[in-house]
Amino acid sequence: NYPEFLENSLKDSFGHKFEKNLVSLNSEANLFIRINLIKGTVDHVINSLRDEGIELEPIPRFKNSFKVTKNRKKIDRSKVYLSGQIEIQDISSQAIVNFINPKQNTKILDFCAGGGGKTLSMASFTLGKAKFFAHDTNSSKLPNLQMRCRRAGFKVQMLSPTKIKERKSQFDLVVVDVPCSGTGVWKRNPGSKWVLTENYLYSLILNQKKILKEAAKYVKKDGALAYITCSVLKTENHDQIESFLSADKNFSFGADTFIPPLEGGDGFYASLINKIN
C-alpha cells in the first residue's frame, strides 16, 4: 500500500523492520498533547482534562507529554487548550525539539515556520526565555502563528522576506523544517502517498537543497542549523546533509536522529550542523 517506485528507498530506510513500519503507517494516528510549561503544570492539566471526561496516558521518557485515550474530539475545546496550557503535537515532533535542545537566552529563527508548532514547542522547552523569530515564504500562515504564540504566553517577531535579509549571521539557532514528501505522516494523511510521483519527489529534493542553503546564511559563527523533515527517505534526509556539508565548509556535522513511525508517532528526521567559520 505505497507507490511502487518508493519500494527500494523504503526498504533502505527501514531495513529488517520494513513491513512493521509500513503496517504502522497504515494505522490510525494517535493524538498527543504537550504541556506548555510557560503556563501549565502536569497535575493541573491532568485534573482539568479528567473533569471534562478526557483521559490521558503517560509517554515513557516524556515528563510533559501524553497520549489522549478517551474523548479525543474534546481536546481543542477544553479549558486548558483554550487557555494555552497545552498544545496538540505529535510525539515524534516533540522528540525532535528535545533533540535540537534549544537554549535559553539565545536568538532562535524558525525559518519555515508554517503553523508554528516547532516555535511553540521550543518556547515551552526554554520556558519562554529566548528570543523567537519566525519566517515563512507563505506569509498568510504567520498571523495565525502570532495568535498561537500570544495564547501560549510568549512573543515572537515575524520577519518578512525583506526584513529577514537584514538578519544574516545573527541567530544562535536556525530551525528549517523543509517541505518534504510527507512519507513519515502517511497515517495522518493517507491520501498523500498517491499524489507523490518520481518527478514531484525530485522537485522537492531540489527545493530542500535551495532552502537549506538559504537558511544557513542566518546562522552566526558557533551557532547551529537544525534541518528537519517528516520524511523517512534518505534522499531527503541524510543525503541532503551530506551534500550540503560537502559544498559548504563553514559547517560541520553535529548529530542526527531518525524516528521511525513504528515508535508510535510520525516518522521524522533531524540533523544538527554547526557553523565553525
Side-chain angles (χ1 to χ4, degrees):
N1 192 20
Y2 54 86
E4 186 176 353
F5 79 92
L6 287 178
E7 181 164 356
N8 289 334
S9 296
L10 291 170
K11 286 182 175 178
D12 187 34
S13 296
F14 294 138
H16 68 282
K17 293 185 178 180
F18 167 72
E19 291 185 1
K20 290 182 178 179
N21 274 287
L22 264 292
V23 169
S24 174
L25 282 172
N26 280 309
S27 64
E28 183 182 10
N30 293 311
L31 180 67
F32 297 96
I33 64 166
R34 170 184 53 77
I35 296 175
N36 172 20
L37 299 178
I38 300 171
K39 282 190 166 184
T41 64
V42 172
D43 289 343
H44 175 74
V45 166
I46 291 174
N47 291 333
S48 180
L49 290 177
R50 185 183 295 131
D51 289 343
E52 296 183 53
I54 301 169
E55 295 183 4
L56 307 175
E57 178 183 298
I59 309 298
R61 306 187 307 277
F62 288 81
K63 296 179 181 179
N64 308 303
S65 307
F66 298 87
K67 181 168 74 173
V68 183
T69 56
K70 184 179 178 181
N71 284 326
R72 297 167 48 139
K73 293 181 179 179
K74 287 186 175 183
I75 277 289
D76 62 358
R77 290 173 283 136
S78 65
K79 292 179 181 178
V80 289
Y81 178 83
L82 294 173
S83 62
Q85 295 178 64
I86 65 168
E87 293 289 343
I88 297 170
Q89 186 179 22
D90 181 75
I91 197 64
S92 297
S93 181
Q94 296 182 47
I96 289 297
V97 172
N98 292 349
F99 166 77
I100 293 172
N101 192 26
K103 301 291 194 299
Q104 295 182 352
N105 304 313
T106 59
K107 294 171 71 174
I108 300 173
L109 170 64
D110 191 348
F111 189 72
C112 297
K118 298 294 187 304
T119 295
L120 290 160
S121 189
M122 290 189 291
S124 175
F125 191 93
T126 59
L127 301 179
K129 297 178 180 178
K131 291 184 178 179
F132 296 96
F133 300 80
H135 167 76
D136 199 289
T137 53
N138 185 352
S139 58
S140 66
K141 297 178 180 180
L142 297 181
N144 184 55
L145 170 55
Q146 189 80 271
M147 179 193 70
R148 294 180 72 191
C149 293
R150 283 197 298 267
R151 187 186 68 194
F154 71 98
K155 294 180 180 179
V156 61
Q157 184 173 337
M158 305 298 177
L159 296 177
S160 68
T162 301
K163 287 294 184 183
I164 197 170
K165 295 184 184 301
E166 303 169 4
R167 297 282 188 159
K168 292 180 180 178
S169 303
Q170 290 189 15
F171 296 95
D172 301 283
L173 173 64
V174 175
V175 176
V176 54
D177 190 348
V178 296
C180 71
S181 64
T183 46
V185 294
W186 280 349
K187 67 176 73 175
R188 202 173 301 283
N189 301 300
S192 65
K193 69 180 74 172
W194 305 119
V195 178
L196 193 61
T197 64
E198 290 185 76
N199 285 338
Y200 182 46
L201 178 59
Y202 180 69
S203 69
L204 283 170
I205 290 170
L206 291 180
N207 193 37
Q208 289 161 2
K209 290 181 183 295
K210 179 181 177 182
I211 293 172
L212 185 55
K213 183 178 179 180
E214 182 66 22
K217 297 176 182 178
Y218 300 98
V219 185
K220 65 188 293 187
K221 185 180 178 182
D222 298 323
L225 177 62
Y227 174 84
I228 303 169
T229 76
C230 57
S231 170
V232 300
L233 305 178
K234 290 183 178 179
T235 50
E236 296 181 90
N237 297 335
H238 175 269
D239 292 356
Q240 289 285 34
I241 298 303
E242 194 172 68
S243 174
F244 174 81
L245 292 176
S246 67
D248 193 332
K249 301 305 179 182
N250 291 312
F251 287 84
S252 66
F253 178 75
D256 66 358
T257 185
F258 173 61
I259 305 174
L262 187 57
E263 294 188 9
D266 294 331
F268 266 92
Y269 172 84
S271 179
L272 276 171
I273 51 181
N274 303 312
K275 188 169 185 181
I276 54 179
N277 292 314

